[in-house]
Amino acid sequence: MAKNKKEYLFIDAYNIINSWAKLKELSRLSLDTARNELIEIMSEYQSFTGINVIIVFDAHLVKGSNTKEEDVYGLSVVYTKEHETADRYIERKLDQMGRNKIVRVATSDWTEQQVVLGRGGTRISARELEIEVNRVKISIKKQKEKEVKYKKDSLGERLNKEILEKFEKIRRKS
């Protein structure tokens, strides 16, 4: 990533939900649960990577709906207005952002990928995003393990209780 450019990742939400086996299975039970799971996964991803994630849900078939943007766990979550698809919303945002920012769009829709490339963004397929998210999860796990190991390597962890009590008495006298 260039030093002065922010990086953004737009997620075509239902495309991802219908592409990832875990989310697809969840959506069969409850679409709301699948949406929430995607938001939680991407929140963790954003937190670790520093990439600004915008999750876009189609609401174009919802009568009378207006564009709704929410901050959920630090993510931007968008529900499109009536007659506006997630693809159209993302395309409009790409046009507004220009080429000053690094923008990726996660979708497996081939036509949308071509439009994104033509507007200066880059594309990432649902499968590639899933692989990237899993790599981030592994990195988070390794970082947590290092933190736990570091805490166990502290002086207090290596000294017996008797010596710690003596140090505490000395500290209180000071």
Side-chain angles (χ1 to χ4, degrees), residues 5-19:
K5 289 188 176 185
K6 279 191 151 190
E7 188 170 349
Y8 295 85
L9 173 61
F10 284 88
I11 305 288
D12 182 345
Y14 291 125
N15 185 274
I16 300 302
I17 287 172
N18 289 313
S19 296

Side-chain angles (χ1 to χ4, degrees), residues 139-154:
S139 295
I140 290 169
K141 184 178 177 185
K142 285 180 181 177
Q143 183 176 342
K144 285 181 181 177
E145 288 170 355
K146 278 184 186 177
E147 289 170 4
V148 168
K149 184 181 181 316
Y150 175 76
K151 285 179 183 175
K152 286 183 179 177
D153 285 346
S154 69

Side-chain angles (χ1 to χ4, degrees), residues 87-119:
D87 292 347
R88 183 67 199 119
Y89 176 89
I90 292 167
E91 291 164 13
R92 186 167 41 85
K93 286 299 182 182
L94 276 172
D95 289 343
Q96 291 171 357
M97 295 172 93
R99 297 180 187 258
N100 298 356
K101 298 171 177 71
I102 298 170
V103 181
R104 292 188 304 154
V105 178
T107 182
S108 290
D109 179 328
W110 187 86
T111 304
E112 183 61 12
Q113 289 177 354
Q114 299 313 303
V115 171
V116 166
L117 291 170
R119 292 190 170 162

Side-chain angles (χ1 to χ4, degrees), residues 151-160 164:
K151 285 179 183 175
K152 286 183 179 177
D153 285 346
S154 69
L155 182 61
E157 293 288 324
R158 289 182 273 159
L159 297 176
N160 69 34
L164 285 173

Side-chain angles (χ1 to χ4, degrees), residues 49-155:
T49 63
I51 296 169
N52 296 293
V53 176
I54 302 97
I55 300 177
V56 185
F57 291 98
D58 285 314
H60 70 101
L61 296 177
V62 179
K63 291 250 183 241
S65 67
N66 293 314
T67 301
K68 180 179 169 187
E69 297 184 27
E70 301 177 329
D71 182 282
V72 182
Y73 306 126
L75 292 176
S76 181
V77 177
V78 178
Y79 298 88
T80 64
K81 64 185 177 185
E82 184 181 11
H83 304 299
E84 181 179 44
T85 63
D87 292 347
R88 183 67 199 119
Y89 176 89
I90 292 167
E91 291 164 13
R92 186 167 41 85
K93 286 299 182 182
L94 276 172
D95 289 343
Q96 291 171 357
M97 295 172 93
R99 297 180 187 258
N100 298 356
K101 298 171 177 71
I102 298 170
V103 181
R104 292 188 304 154
V105 178
T107 182
S108 290
D109 179 328
W110 187 86
T111 304
E112 183 61 12
Q113 289 177 354
Q114 299 313 303
V115 171
V116 166
L117 291 170
R119 292 190 170 162
T122 57
R123 62 108 196 125
I124 180 171
S125 71
R127 183 176 176 277
E128 290 167 326
L129 179 63
E130 188 172 24
I131 290 166
E132 191 172 308
V133 164
N134 287 332
R135 283 186 189 138
V136 165
K137 285 181 179 183
I138 290 167
S139 295
I140 290 169
K141 184 178 177 185
K142 285 180 181 177
Q143 183 176 342
K144 285 181 181 177
E145 288 170 355
K146 278 184 186 177
E147 289 170 4
V148 168
K149 184 181 181 316
Y150 175 76
K151 285 179 183 175
K152 286 183 179 177
D153 285 346
S154 69
L155 182 61

